[in-house]
Amino acid sequence: MRIDKLLWFLRFAKTRGLAQKWVDEGHIRRNGNRVERTGQPTAVGDILTLPLRGGVLVIELLSLPARRGPAAEARECYRVLDGERNFAIAERSNEPPEGPEGEYRP
């Protein structure tokens, strides 16, 4: 399945044209490599990195959707990887983490 169609089917993009724009601008990564064309095929097991408003989302494709269905149906086709981490660099503290009594912990 084409990556632009996949992003639209999975409801990450409101329109297929918007998904194509993201790909053309180089915002999407598949298995760590920048996607350079909208017709790039995707397969089950691919890891996609998507920059969204709330931060970067990394997903693994569990299945390819047959249609643009309800959001619940779309969520069954992927799983979020590393969902507990905060990817926004601006929100990270520049100070090293401290252990008990102010000791530095690597």
Side-chain angles (χ1 to χ4, degrees):
M1 174 177 289
R2 294 171 53 111
I3 195 159
D4 60 334
K5 192 172 180 181
L6 176 78
L7 294 172
W8 180 57
F9 276 12
L10 293 180
R11 300 185 156 272
F12 289 113
K14 288 186 178 185
T15 66
R16 191 164 168 190
L18 179 59
Q20 290 170 343
K21 181 179 174 187
W22 288 348
V23 171
D24 290 340
E25 292 176 354
H27 296 301
I28 309 298
R29 293 191 178 270
R30 179 180 156 261
N31 298 328
N33 299 316
R34 180 174 288 174
V35 177
E36 297 176 350
R37 50 190 181 93
T38 56
Q40 176 94 32
T42 56
V44 173
D46 282 351
I47 307 295
L48 301 179
T49 306
L50 312 169
L52 303 175
R53 279 190 182 171
V56 176
L57 182 66
V58 181
I59 63 168
E60 177 185 9
L61 294 179
L62 302 176
S63 64
L64 297 177
R67 65 186 183 117
R68 181 178 164 90
E73 184 179 306
R75 281 191 297 270
E76 292 176 2
C77 295
Y78 65 90
R79 72 180 176 110
V80 176
L81 300 177
D82 210 5
E84 298 300 317
R85 286 187 56 192
N86 185 352
F87 289 100
I89 294 172
E91 294 178 6
R92 291 186 184 159
S93 173
N94 290 335
E95 300 174 9
E98 293 183 357
E101 300 173 15
E103 295 175 12
Y104 174 71
R105 276 188 314 184

